[in-house]
Amino acid sequence: MIPATVPTEALFDRGRLPDASLPVHAWNDDGEPLVLWRNELRRAQSIEGFKDVRERRQIVGVVPGGGWMTEWQDPSEGTSFADPVVAWAVYSDGEARAIDTDSSGEAVLLSPSVKDRRTYHPGQIPDTPLPGEKTPGAATEDG
């Protein structure tokens, strides 16, 4: 048995539900991934729904927000709100995701796929509008 020294996970298809994953704890002598399943190490391939093995992303560091802001719109109210990015979570693959706080002060990793939210630096030129907003300073058809 070879210990898993690089964080790796086995993926499992759960039908209509999102895929599940289990961390790979070791590799057998044939190079097959071993996962903890019902209190024992088992070959991932022997578990129903096994799909693939991939390197697992991990947060490897957190750096200060650096003056960045996050802004979002409430489409039903037509209002927007802005908060400072308190920090950035840096992942092992190099991606960085903004960290905001909710109304109770709980840290929240922001998803990059939220359509009514943008993250920007106040010194950013030109200003990138939220979907449906006009770009500040853009010429209008009237003049």
Side-chain angles (χ1 to χ4, degrees):
M1 183 168 29
I2 305 163
T5 56
V6 174
T8 309
E9 63 188 352
L11 300 175
F12 299 91
D13 183 357
R14 298 188 317 161
R16 293 185 180 174
L17 297 172
D19 289 350
S21 68
L22 290 172
V24 173
H25 290 278
W27 304 88
N28 70 12
D29 292 336
D30 296 325
E32 297 171 320
L34 302 173
V35 297
L36 188 60
W37 180 256
R38 299 185 178 150
N39 295 326
E40 67 180 15
L41 281 179
R42 298 224 0 227
R43 290 179 38 249
Q45 291 93 326
S46 69
I47 299 171
E48 183 180 348
F50 173 76
K51 284 176 48 171
D52 199 8
V53 175
R54 69 175 179 201
E55 189 172 335
R56 188 176 72 224
R57 289 179 2 138
Q58 290 185 288
I59 294 175
V60 294
V62 177
V63 296
W68 285 76
M69 300 291 290
T70 182
E71 183 178 36
W72 69 98
Q73 276 187 326
D74 181 347
S76 64
E77 298 288 326
T79 57
S80 63
F81 305 91
D83 280 332
V85 171
V86 295
W88 293 91
V90 181
Y91 286 87
S92 55
D93 63 0
E95 180 187 0
R97 287 182 48 193
I99 300 173
D100 190 10
T101 55
D102 64 14
S103 59
S104 65
E106 188 78 24
V108 178
L109 268 172
L110 300 180
S111 172
S113 62
V114 176
K115 71 175 187 167
D116 294 321
R117 181 183 291 266
R118 70 176 174 146
T119 302
Y120 65 96
H121 196 278
Q124 173 182 336
I125 297 177
D127 191 16
T128 305
L130 285 165
E133 283 188 344
K134 294 180 183 174
T135 304
T140 63
E141 290 181 21
D142 297 336

